């Protein structure tokens, strides 16, 4: 008898309407003329909902610099909160997760926006907490603080937001026509927060939302990022190109969560995967070739140099970036160190690195039939490397269609994914408890 899995995977889609594989918007049929418009993202999101996926997830940047450099991967063309609010009215089950940076917003504003999204969507909101590495020029910040300070601010930011969401008891709304009190002031508590970065009296001026709080996602894999995630996050995204590294991260992360006094099973670890899915292995290889043929190595070199902050103008595409140009400084971030390792330990050339960063951006990638890719996912899932995956569609809309119509049914058939939604809220999809408010702590 075939092995019957005990639980199913969590699957979210990294919603990049131009496609994850950077220049894939140039492919025929990409609907790139509609980038930034609602009908296109609605169609993509409905495709995910039909496949019963847990959530769509919108990344964000708050600068036009990527577009001006011809890099269409993460553009900010869909501002997450407005886009997800519109999608709340066009969908009914799928989770709606969006990125808001703790370096540029304020906790009271963010807490209100996400509480509103959670209420408008009937309990489907998620927040991807990021600290951002660019965009300061639009907020009067000449130079962004070092990562450690950004994470200190992020920690305080999330702490304030959580306290604001919890400032209304679930019993606060009494709607008492006779007495003339809609809300019971005794059930709504100020937070009186006075920290290093924020001073917020509270309480929130919105009723407690269906999930109590939105589901909290975070995506930093540095020590500070993991600390933030282990303290607050329900879900962590991580870029892991190999199973052994992913399993190591998974174990370390769950241990950190346990050390915080939280149940490790209540925190989900989702590595990214870029699946290039074909009806057959051969067709998938053809698609992969087609995608690679769109890579512009000139702009790729410039972008890689900028991302890594290494001068590589003089290096031949078929040579390696020399060891002395890399830094061991851990504050350079986890992605930097993945690329450093790929060069120094695995011998990748500059050309290989450009392809690597264009194709999957340090995430796992797989090319083949649904069955072949499902094998990889199941191997990671059963092997203690993942609770599920952040799916990065290589091209839109066809790459997503292939994920939804070929890969997901394969996982469903094997019992690794749901065939119907069992709950209504994102927390229910993820198997997470609804947190209590201040009067239950
Ligand atoms: C799947 C994934 C999605 C991310 N999305 C965003 C995003 O939309 N906006 C952003 O500013 N950073 C984003 N990041 C970056 C992380 O939030 C974080 O800043 C980065 O991983 C560096 O932090 P670290 O050094 O702690 O790993 C993302 C990272 C991952 C792995």
């Amino acid at each position: 008898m075939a092995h019957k899995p005990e639980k199913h995977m969590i699957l979210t889609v990294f919603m990049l309407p131009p496609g994850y594989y950077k220049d894939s918007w140039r492919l025929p049929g990409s609907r790139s003329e509609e980038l930034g418009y609602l009908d296109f993202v609605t169609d993509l999101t409905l495709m995910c909902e039909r496949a019963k996926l847990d959530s769509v997830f919108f990344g964000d940047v708050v600068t036009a610099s990527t577009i001006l450099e011809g890099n269409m991967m993460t553009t900010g063309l869909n501002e997450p909160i407005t886009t997800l609010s519109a999608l709340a009215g066009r969908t009914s089950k799928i989770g709606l997760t969006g990125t808001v940076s703790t370096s540029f917003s304020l906790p009271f504003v963010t807490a209100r926006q996400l509480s509103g999204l959670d209420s408008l969507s009937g309990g489907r909101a998620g927040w991807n907490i990021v600290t951002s590495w660019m965009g300061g020029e639009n907020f009067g910040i000449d130079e962004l603080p070092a990562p450690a300070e950004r994470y200190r601010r992020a920690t305080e930011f999330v702490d304030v937001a959580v306290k604001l969401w919890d400032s209304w008891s679930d019993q606060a709304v009494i709607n008492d026509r006779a007495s003339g009190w809609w809300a019971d002031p005794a059930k709504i508590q100020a937070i009186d927060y006075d920290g290093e970065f924020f001073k917020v009296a509270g309480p929130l001026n919105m009723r407690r939302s269906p999930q109590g709080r939105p589901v909290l996602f975070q995506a930093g894999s540095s020590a500070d990022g993991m600390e933030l995630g282990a303290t607050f996050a329900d879900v962590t995204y991580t870029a892991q190109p190999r199973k052994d590294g992913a399993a190591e991260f998974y174990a370390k992360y769950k241990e950190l969560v346990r050390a915080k006094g939280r149940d490790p099973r209540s925190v989900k670890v989702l590595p990214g995967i870029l699946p290039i899915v074909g009806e057959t292995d051969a067709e998938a290889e053809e698609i992969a070739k087609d995608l690679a043929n769109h890579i512009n190595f000139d702009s790729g070199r410039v972008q890689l140099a900028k991302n890594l902050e290494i001068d590589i103008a003089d290096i031949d595409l078929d040579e390696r970036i020399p060891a002395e140009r890399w830094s061991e400084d851990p504050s350079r971030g986890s992605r930097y160190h993945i690329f450093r390792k790929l060069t120094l330990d695995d011998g990748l050339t500059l050309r290989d690195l450009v392809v690597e960063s264009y194709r999957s951006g340090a995430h796992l990638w797989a090319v083949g039939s649904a069955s072949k890719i499902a094998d990889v996912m199941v191997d990671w899932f059963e092997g203690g490397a993942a609770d599920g995956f952040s799916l990065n569609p290589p091209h839109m809309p066809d790459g997503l269609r292939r994920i939804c119509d070929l890969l997901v049914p394969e996982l469903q058939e094997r019992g690794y994914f749901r065939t119907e939604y069992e709950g209504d809220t994102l927390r229910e999809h993820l198997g997470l408890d609804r947190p209590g408010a201040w009067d239950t702590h």
Side-chain angles (χ1 to χ4, degrees):
M1 213 173 86
H3 169 71
K4 196 156 174 356
E6 283 167 24
K7 54 184 177 125
H8 63 67
M9 293 178 187
I10 291 165
L11 296 177
T12 66
V13 162
F14 196 174
M15 191 54 87
L16 296 170
Y20 198 96
Y21 211 121
K22 195 174 77 75
D23 289 326
S24 65
W25 63 271
R26 297 165 68 194
L27 292 170
S30 71
R31 293 180 66 177
S32 52
E33 55 286 346
E34 293 179 68
L35 291 175
Y37 292 163
L38 183 58
D39 281 350
F40 184 33
V41 285
T42 302
D43 289 349
L44 297 174
T45 304
L46 286 173
M47 219 188 271
C48 297
E49 190 168 67
R50 278 193 297 274
K52 319 295 178 199
L53 301 184
D54 290 276
S55 185
V56 288
F57 149 55
F58 282 78
D60 199 30
V61 291
V62 285
T63 165
S65 62
T66 56
I67 298 172
L68 297 177
E69 287 162 6
N71 171 4
M72 294 300 289
M73 190 190 129
T74 309
T75 57
L77 281 165
N78 290 104
E79 190 285 313
I81 299 294
T82 47
T83 303
L84 293 170
S85 301
L87 289 173
R90 294 185 170 205
T91 55
S92 57
K93 290 285 190 186
I94 193 157
L96 302 168
T97 301
T99 298
V100 180
S101 171
T102 56
S103 296
F104 305 128
S105 189
L106 291 170
F108 197 84
V109 176
T110 303
R112 295 195 71 220
Q113 289 174 322
L114 288 159
S115 177
L117 178 63
D118 201 45
S119 289
L120 294 177
S121 63
R124 295 186 284 134
W127 173 22
N128 180 40
I129 304 158
V130 302
T131 58
S132 300
W133 69 95
M134 57 182 176
E137 70 279 9
N138 297 322
F139 299 87
I141 302 169
D142 292 332
E143 201 176 324
L144 283 174
E149 184 180 327
R150 298 209 299 271
Y151 273 115
R152 271 207 327 278
R153 180 184 160 106
T155 304
E156 214 179 287
F157 191 115
V158 181
D159 194 22
V160 174
V162 167
K163 288 186 162 70
L164 287 168
W165 288 318
D166 290 355
S167 64
W168 282 52
S169 157
D170 280 311
Q171 277 75 47
V173 177
I174 49 173
N175 193 33
D176 189 346
R177 290 185 167 88
S179 70
W181 287 95
W182 182 77
D184 178 356
K187 298 280 183 192
I188 301 168
Q189 207 184 48
I191 68 165
D192 293 324
Y193 198 97
D194 190 358
E196 180 187 354
F197 299 94
F198 304 109
K199 193 168 177 206
V200 183
L204 204 63
N205 57 343
M206 297 169 81
R207 68 193 296 170
R208 197 160 154 82
S209 69
Q211 295 189 104
R213 307 169 199 154
V215 176
L216 302 182
F217 293 68
Q218 77 88 38
S221 294
S222 62
D224 289 335
M226 288 171 74
E227 178 72 18
L228 173 72
T231 307
F232 292 110
D234 302 297
V235 181
T236 188
Y237 286 129
T238 177
Q240 301 290 342
R242 306 209 195 309
K243 185 185 164 194
D244 51 357
E248 204 177 297
F249 176 85
Y250 185 96
K252 202 166 147 195
Y253 196 82
K254 297 266 173 164
E255 195 40 55
L256 266 177
V257 169
R258 197 193 316 269
K260 297 274 173 201
R262 303 175 67 202
D263 179 355
R265 284 168 308 181
S266 70
V267 176
K268 312 296 180 184
V269 177
L270 305 186
I273 178 171
L274 178 123
I276 301 177
V277 191
E279 298 274 355
T280 59
D281 290 348
E283 192 202 21
E285 293 292 346
E286 279 308 307
I287 296 169
K289 239 186 258 163
D290 202 22
L291 288 163
N293 280 339
H294 286 79
I295 290 183
N296 174 339
F297 283 95
D298 291 338
S299 72
R301 175 201 287 274
V302 172
Q303 267 169 40
L304 191 67
K306 195 177 155 216
N307 291 343
L308 298 176
E309 295 175 37
I310 303 181
D311 183 7
I312 48 175
D314 59 324
I315 295 174
D316 190 274
L317 275 175
D318 293 314
E319 284 173 9
R320 280 190 234 168
I321 302 176
E324 61 272 17
R325 297 205 191 173
W326 294 96
S327 158
E328 286 179 25
D329 179 359
S331 77
R332 299 297 291 267
S334 47
R335 257 171 214 234
Y336 175 94
H337 288 286
I338 288 169
F339 280 94
R340 177 173 179 270
K341 187 171 178 306
L342 286 172
T343 303
L344 303 185
D345 297 353
D346 302 352
L348 263 62
T349 63
L350 179 55
R351 184 189 301 276
D352 297 331
L353 277 196
V354 171
V355 173
E356 195 69 31
S357 66
Y358 272 88
R359 181 180 47 213
S360 62
H363 289 280
L364 167 68
W365 58 282
V367 184
S369 63
S371 159
K372 185 170 168 185
I373 296 175
D375 284 347
V376 176
M377 294 169 73
V378 167
D379 182 42
W380 281 45
F381 182 71
E382 294 284 5
D387 292 313
F389 294 89
S390 167
L391 299 160
N392 301 329
H395 53 127
M396 293 288 201
D398 195 52
L400 179 61
R401 183 191 63 74
R402 289 168 176 276
I403 288 172
C404 293
D405 291 355
L406 300 173
L407 182 56
V408 172
E410 174 73 26
L411 292 166
Q412 287 169 329
E413 208 155 289
R414 298 188 192 189
Y416 281 98
F417 198 60
R418 70 168 71 81
T419 51
E420 278 307 330
Y421 288 108
E422 288 132 29
D424 294 317
T425 69
L426 178 52
R427 282 189 185 281
E428 286 166 352
H429 300 340
L430 302 177
L432 298 173
D433 291 338
R434 182 179 184 277
W438 66 270
D439 55 337
T440 65
H441 293 168

